[in-house]
Amino acid sequence: MQRIAVLTSGGDSPGMNPAIRAVTRKAIYHGIEVIGIKRGFTGFIEGDMMPLHLGSVADIVQRGGTMLLSARSEEFRTSEGRKKAFENVKRFGLQGLVVIGGDGSFKGARVFHQEYNIPIIGVPGTIDNDIVGSEYTIGFDTAVNTVVDAINKIRDTATSHERTFVVEVMGREAGFIALTAGLAAGAESILVPEKPFSIDDICHKLLRGYKRGKLHSIIIVAEGAAGGLKVGEQIKQKTGFETKVIILGHLQRGGTPSSYDRVMASCMGAKAVELLMNGAKLKMVGLHGGKVTDMDIDDSLLKKKPLDIEMYDLANVLSI
Ligand code: ATP
């Protein structure tokens, strides 16, 4: 293997930069050239690529976002678009590709591999932590810490003014951020897409807390469970409590990656190169039993990652 490429695709996540760095340096260490593809599959189609050297990835280990930029490409969903990308595989002499992104990016990688047989390794890079086959996805820890940090601040003002706060967090399909941040921040209720909820139950809990002298309440809502604004309005109507709504939005995608994300990104990026060197065709890197391993992308895309129900139940017990 003489030359590989790396791209970041889909929603960005803190830790993509250290992953790019690890792919680049691990490959160069083994005498393999690395090409960085800009804007995910968009740059792949357009041939927007640049050689990455040791110095190209210097001073990025601590930076959020992705130096290669990320994008969502409708054109890559078409066979014409992917054909253009394959022209660039030939033009740049690429013998392998590392795709850092979420499950959508892995679907794109799979179809491209099926059509053109180029070896591709997926590295799970998404704040959602929703990829089957990996206990962890790069960016999740930083995103959860961002949410917890925001809630700590919200709690201060919530207490001063004796208010209820509804905090909407990211997670269209999965409630991992809401659940983990909710447990860490001691939220009163956590609403996730995977579990049905009742506004009446939430309100009863709030009223119970109020009666025993609670000065504030925090409700975390994953965006896929319900709209934060609507939940806030319903709580206000049913309890009469002054209720404020905060939508954290893209704040959760930014920031310097946590040390855990940097370590995971470094291990997973390096593992991706190792897999290519060992002749893997279509795999993803994943964390399993605390170890960085690999699995077939096909198997990963078959299922939806289940929420940790024990953790969900525990959060309910502790917020009684
Ligand atoms: P996130 O989890 O942050 O949303 P993602 O990788 O899941 O990240 P998507 O927008 O779902 O983000 O996918 C990224 C890109 O992958 C899409 O814009 C598209 O170019 C490509 N892609 C997704 N699904 C397919 C598919 N079925 N066929 C071809 N390409 C696809």
Side-chain angles (χ1 to χ4, degrees), residues 9-11 41 72-73 76-77 82 101-105 107-108 111 126 128 172:
S9 166
F41 294 129
R72 302 190 197 269
S73 164
F76 198 73
R77 293 178 186 274
R82 294 192 295 272
D103 58 348
S105 303
K107 283 179 194 154
V111 69
T126 163
D128 294 330
R172 279 192 306 264

Side-chain angles (χ1 to χ4, degrees), residues 3-69:
R3 186 180 288 169
I4 63 169
V6 56
L7 61 81
T8 48
S9 166
D12 66 339
S13 70
M16 282 182 161
N17 273 330
I20 296 166
R21 172 179 178 269
V23 169
T24 305
R25 293 212 168 153
K26 171 82 174 168
I28 291 173
Y29 178 85
H30 290 285
I32 300 169
E33 289 174 6
V34 184
I35 303 289
I37 302 176
K38 305 279 285 288
R39 297 182 186 81
F41 294 129
T42 304
F44 200 21
I45 290 170
E46 292 170 357
D48 191 1
M49 309 187 188
M50 59 184 184
L52 295 178
H53 308 291
L54 291 177
S56 321
V57 293
D59 200 27
I60 64 164
V61 76
Q62 78 285 17
R63 290 184 206 279
T66 158
M67 66 166 280
L68 290 176
L69 312 179

Side-chain angles (χ1 to χ4, degrees), residues 141-282:
D141 183 58
T142 308
V144 167
N145 283 327
T146 300
V147 173
V148 171
D149 186 44
I151 293 175
N152 290 342
K153 289 174 177 149
I154 291 165
R155 211 182 248 280
D156 290 343
T157 174
T159 307
S160 305
H161 290 271
E162 300 176 66
R163 283 175 177 149
T164 297
F165 269 82
V166 173
V167 183
E168 185 186 298
V169 301
M170 283 187 166
R172 279 192 306 264
E173 316 275 342
F176 296 100
I177 293 178
L179 175 56
T180 311
L183 182 60
E188 270 62 39
S189 296
I190 302 169
L191 279 53
V192 293
E194 295 90 342
K195 287 287 229 178
F197 64 89
S198 142
I199 289 288
D200 284 339
D201 290 350
I202 293 166
C203 292
H204 284 141
K205 199 171 185 183
L206 288 176
L207 288 162
R208 266 202 323 268
Y210 177 73
K211 280 192 192 133
R212 62 165 219 269
K214 272 188 85 114
L215 293 179
H216 65 260
S217 298
I218 307 282
I219 319 290
I220 298 202
V221 183
E223 61 186 332
L229 288 169
K230 194 169 160 205
V231 170
E233 192 50 44
Q234 287 174 325
I235 290 175
K236 199 167 168 177
Q237 274 175 13
K238 285 186 189 267
T239 61
F241 291 166
E242 191 178 358
T243 308
K244 300 279 178 193
V245 179
I246 292 202
I247 298 171
L248 293 182
H250 285 78
L251 194 88
Q252 296 159 86
R253 291 246 188 98
T256 181
S258 67
S259 51
Y260 188 71
D261 272 321
R262 295 182 201 190
V263 169
M264 277 296 122
S266 303
C267 295
M268 289 183 174
K271 179 79 180 174
V273 174
E274 215 174 280
L275 288 168
L276 283 175
M277 285 166 40
N278 291 339
K281 296 293 177 215
L282 182 68

